[in-house]
Each structure stands twice: as structure tokens, then as C-alpha cells.
Amino acid sequence: MNENIQAIAARIVDLRDILGLSAQEVAQRSGVPLEEYQAYERGEKDFSFSHLFNIASTLGVDISDLLTGESPKLRGYILTRNGKGLAFERRKAYKYQHLAYNFKDKKAEPFIVTVEDDGVTTGKTAHSHEGQEFDYVLEGHMKIVLSGNEVFLGPGDSLYYDSALPHAMYAIEGDARFIAVVIK
């Protein structure tokens, strides 16, 4: 696995040890199957965004702490120039840019997400996380499977939902870019 995944795994293990929690406790509180969580800690498996988000919440840190190894420091405002968000990939078909990763005590996590058109329109593993989510399509067309329901979105369309509902995104007829705001 790549060095970034190994670094995130090491941060999770260190934080879990500092808090005196077992792997089983963190996995259970985060809604991650124990075997999958243990593979994350060993750096053998790339993290889904929702699992990483839930693990950060369980450990009482910002997701930026896990991604970068540094706590957010800015208050008041943060300016993120075009294309300059914290870029990370959690799964092959999804690319994220965190737009406020260095803002302290965020109440929401804003991202620009690109879903690649990989020709797959069914069968992705749906994920869930605490809070609510707002998705606004900038470019392309996408299908969101939300708790078993298919919702189709195009440019200018938006969807607001309880992110505890299992959800998966698919690009249709080309890549899709959207703003995702995860509200804690």
C-alpha cells in the first residue's frame, strides 16, 4: 500500500492507543466490521471516506488530523483557491478535494468530489456516516443509490439527506463533479 495509507493507519493506531481503546471498540463505534478495521490499521486496505470520517469522529479528531497529521488551525475564515483544496482519493472511482481542511472546529466538511465514469452503474458498496449531507452537481450526470432508491442528478440539481442512510454514487455518460457538504 502507499505511504499515505500507511501514515493514516499509524495515526489511527496511535490515537486509539492514547485513548486506551481496543480495535474492537473503535470498529464497533465507527460502524466498521472488525476485520476491515484491522486491515485499515495494518495499512493493508484503503479507507472509504465514510469509514475514515466515522473513525475520526470516534477518536474525537478532525478528519484532517488523520489525513495530514496536523490539526486544523485557522479561525475566522479560510480561502481555498481553485484546485487548491486538500486532494485525496479514498476509492478508485472517487477523487476528493477538501475545501476547508485547515479550519478549526468545523460544523461541516465541504468537498468537491469527482466520480469517474468507470462504466459501472450498479453494485458499489454503499457507505454511511453520521450527520447529514448536501450534494450539488456542478458537471456531468450521476446516479445516487440512497437506501436502495435511485436518484438521478444533472448540473444544478441537488440532494440533501440523512447520511446514515447507505449511499453510493455513480457517474453516468462521463465523469461527474459535485460539491458535497457533510454536516456533523
Side-chain angles (χ1 to χ4, degrees):
M1 278 283 136
N2 74 34
E3 292 177 27
N4 189 34
I5 293 169
Q6 293 290 330
I8 293 170
R11 290 181 198 116
I12 289 171
V13 171
D14 289 346
L15 285 167
R16 181 179 59 74
D17 287 344
I18 289 167
L19 294 171
L21 298 172
S22 70
Q24 184 171 357
E25 288 172 306
V26 175
Q28 183 178 13
R29 292 180 191 177
S30 302
V32 180
L34 180 58
E35 288 180 14
E36 188 171 349
Y37 177 81
Q38 290 170 327
Y40 288 152
E41 278 201 357
R42 291 189 300 267
E44 297 172 353
K45 181 174 173 67
D46 196 0
F47 302 85
S48 75
F49 169 77
S50 58
H51 286 170
L52 192 59
F53 185 83
N54 291 341
I55 291 167
S57 179
T58 297
L59 297 173
V61 297
D62 190 285
I63 194 170
S64 297
D65 289 291
L66 298 182
L67 291 171
T68 67
E70 295 184 20
S71 295
K73 296 172 180 54
L74 298 177
R75 294 183 183 270
Y77 71 91
I78 182 170
L79 172 64
T80 304
R81 297 284 183 198
N82 185 16
K84 300 297 182 185
L86 176 64
F88 62 100
E89 293 182 32
R90 292 283 50 94
R91 284 177 280 175
K92 185 178 179 181
Y94 297 90
K95 292 181 179 160
Y96 295 85
Q97 271 198 341
H98 197 307
L99 300 176
Y101 69 95
N102 205 17
F103 192 86
K104 190 172 180 149
D105 300 324
K106 291 182 292 300
K107 304 227 183 309
E109 302 280 351
F111 301 92
I112 291 186
V113 183
T114 301
V115 180
E116 294 180 359
D117 182 2
D118 55 6
V120 175
T121 59
T122 61
K124 288 184 182 177
T125 302
H127 293 278
S128 61
H129 48 88
E130 291 183 19
Q132 299 172 345
E133 186 165 333
F134 172 74
D135 297 333
Y136 179 88
V137 178
L138 298 168
E139 300 171 359
H141 292 83
M142 59 190 282
K143 174 175 83 170
I144 299 178
V145 178
L146 183 61
S147 197
N149 297 302
E150 293 182 350
V151 179
F152 293 87
L153 302 171
D157 292 342
S158 66
L159 181 65
Y160 190 99
Y161 54 96
D162 179 345
S163 49
L165 296 173
H167 54 282
M169 283 81 170
Y170 300 86
I172 299 171
E173 299 174 8
D175 295 352
R177 283 184 68 228
F178 65 100
I179 295 172
V181 180
V182 177
I183 301 139
K184 299 177 184 182

